[in-house]
Amino acid sequence: MNIAIYGAGSLGTIMGAYLSSTNENVDLIDTYDEHVNTLNSQGATIEGTDNFHISVNALKPNEINQQYDLILLLTKQTYNKDVLPVIKNILKKDGILLSLQNGVPEEVIQQYIPRENIVAGSVEFGATFKAPGVSELTTDYNAFKNYALQIGELNGEITSRVKTLKSLLDCIGNVHLSDNLLGTKWSKLLINSTFSGLSAALNCTYGDILDNPDSFEIARHVVDECIKVGHANHIEFATISGHDLTEFENHKNAEKLNKMIQPSRKLEASMLQDLRKQRQTEINYINGLVVEVGEKHNISTPCNQKIVEIISKSSSSSELPKFEHSLQLFKVLA
């Protein structure tokens, strides 16, 4: 089976490294020249809660000269107009596109890729890009190995092909099969909106959010907004890492929420990393989506709106948010 990791950033490098340890035909595809060159010349180095080094094969998109049986899509949604036409050309007629992007992009993806070729899911671990060829696994190792990915068919059916994909991808970490894909995507959206959104808006790690009573209280507000918007949109939230997120509606079970996120306390949002590198963020596809759907159903989402506002302002000004200043902006809402 020919496998491509399209978008070999922090997460893609880790997945590609694990997959390369058990599969011969794995290509890590990325547009960052120095990263691709380093992966080819020096291999992939994984640091953090796991440490290993492995030889991999990496390509730039213009170097692709074959079609793939399986493509793991890990680029940001902001690049889909450029990426998806390429994916269409390099995916075999009977190949599988595994969409692992943040947010809920599958409707857009179907404009380019036939629905029957798409499987989707969520990544349930975090990573930080450290340097060309080097990615840091920031999620607790045992949590990562127990809940690495959740995947499923768009219609929720547990098919033989998703079982086959699970067997193939279990070398990364335990892959859970979802019979409620939309609920899975929205559960990941809730986590991203809350902790990735606040990590970027406050310029901090997940652990910093958990440790500060004020920022953690804001996080609980964001969670509540996301759950209420999801329910208004007829979403049945799927469990994520074994947790029922609806238990946190109406600001309940604060201690349990804190404990759930503790294995990810070292994470910094990829959106924060984008702000530091002055790159476009996915904010409109994460917190912005919650705000958009909330407006359709007349659900108030002031904390999500404030996250969008702070990150958008930072992106346009190239000035990173400051923890205490952003915290005061949220306190005004209260």
Side-chain angles (χ1 to χ4, degrees):
M1 176 179 282
N2 292 330
I3 304 170
I5 309 288
Y6 205 106
S10 57
L11 296 173
T13 298
I14 290 174
M15 292 187 200
Y18 280 105
L19 279 170
S20 296
S21 69
T22 56
N23 298 270
E24 293 183 359
N25 301 310
V26 179
D27 288 339
L28 282 69
I29 301 169
D30 203 83
T31 58
Y32 184 8
D33 289 357
E34 189 178 355
H35 182 47
V36 170
N37 294 338
T38 302
L39 288 171
N40 284 324
S41 63
Q42 301 179 29
T45 300
I46 309 305
E47 300 179 345
T49 56
D50 195 12
N51 289 275
F52 71 98
H53 180 86
I54 187 170
S55 296
V56 297
N57 188 60
L59 299 168
K60 285 168 273 190
N62 61 359
E63 296 173 332
I64 302 169
N65 59 8
Q66 64 172 318
Q67 291 188 311
Y68 294 94
D69 302 292
L70 172 64
I71 300 175
L72 279 65
L73 180 58
L74 286 156
T75 54
K76 298 181 187 301
Q77 282 198 63
T78 50
Y79 304 120
N80 273 354
K81 287 184 179 179
D82 297 321
V83 167
L84 291 175
V86 178
I87 297 288
K88 180 179 179 179
N89 289 331
I90 66 172
L91 183 67
K92 288 184 178 179
K93 187 176 181 179
D94 59 349
I96 298 172
L97 174 65
L98 176 54
S99 167
L100 294 171
Q101 292 181 321
N102 289 325
V104 190
E106 284 69 37
E107 288 299 321
V108 171
I109 292 173
Q110 288 178 69
Q111 296 174 20
Y112 298 84
I113 309 297
R115 180 181 175 89
E116 59 268 22
N117 292 88
I118 302 170
V119 174
S122 65
V123 180
E124 302 197 9
F125 66 93
T128 299
F129 188 87
K130 301 298 290 184
V134 184
S135 187
E136 179 185 5
L137 178 63
T138 49
T139 298
D140 173 81
Y141 181 77
N142 289 330
F144 161 61
K145 280 300 180 180
N146 286 332
Y147 294 96
L149 302 169
Q150 191 167 176
I151 66 171
E153 299 281 3
L154 299 185
N155 65 3
E157 185 180 352
I158 303 298
T159 61
S160 59
R161 75 169 176 176
V162 293
K163 292 178 182 178
T164 299
L165 281 180
K166 170 178 166 55
S167 299
L168 178 70
L169 300 174
D170 271 341
C171 66
I172 300 171
N174 197 9
V175 176
H176 294 256
L177 299 182
S178 173
D179 60 1
N180 172 19
L181 186 66
L182 194 57
T184 293
K185 299 293 284 189
W186 267 81
S187 290
K188 180 64 185 296
L189 177 66
L190 183 153
I191 297 298
N192 280 336
S193 295
T194 304
F195 292 96
S196 292
L198 284 175
S199 171
L202 296 171
N203 190 1
C204 67
T205 65
Y206 285 22
D208 294 328
I209 298 168
L210 298 176
D211 294 343
N212 182 291
D214 291 329
S215 58
F216 185 57
E217 180 63 22
I218 295 163
R220 294 171 67 200
H221 279 281
V222 179
V223 167
D224 190 58
E225 289 177 11
C226 292
I227 293 173
K228 285 179 166 53
V229 168
H231 284 165
N233 202 40
H234 309 293
I235 300 299
E236 181 181 344
F237 287 91
T239 59
I240 189 167
S241 299
H243 296 279
D244 178 3
L245 301 183
T246 61
E247 293 182 3
F248 307 124
E249 188 175 10
N250 298 321
H251 312 281
K252 294 179 180 177
N253 297 310
E255 185 176 347
K256 191 172 183 179
L257 175 63
N258 192 301
K259 184 177 180 180
M260 183 185 83
I261 304 299
Q262 283 295 334
S264 301
R265 62 178 294 109
K266 295 181 180 179
L267 266 68
E268 285 186 335
S270 61
M271 289 192 291
L272 177 56
Q273 298 172 52
D274 288 337
L275 289 177
R276 288 175 179 157
K277 296 173 183 176
Q278 297 184 17
R279 296 189 306 207
Q280 189 175 4
T281 74
E282 288 188 290
I283 188 62
N284 291 328
Y285 302 99
I286 300 177
N287 299 83
L289 178 61
V290 176
V291 173
E292 178 185 343
V293 178
E295 288 175 347
K296 290 179 181 178
H297 297 284
N298 296 315
I299 303 294
S300 176
T301 57
C303 289
N304 277 279
Q305 288 177 318
K306 184 58 67 174
I307 291 171
V308 173
E309 177 186 313
I310 292 170
I311 295 175
S312 298
K313 183 177 180 180
S314 175
S315 184
S316 61
S317 69
S318 300
E319 183 177 338
L320 289 175
K322 293 179 175 61
F323 187 92
E324 290 298 333
H325 178 259
S326 293
L327 205 58
Q328 289 304 315
L329 295 177
F330 285 107
K331 286 183 178 180
V332 169
L333 296 178

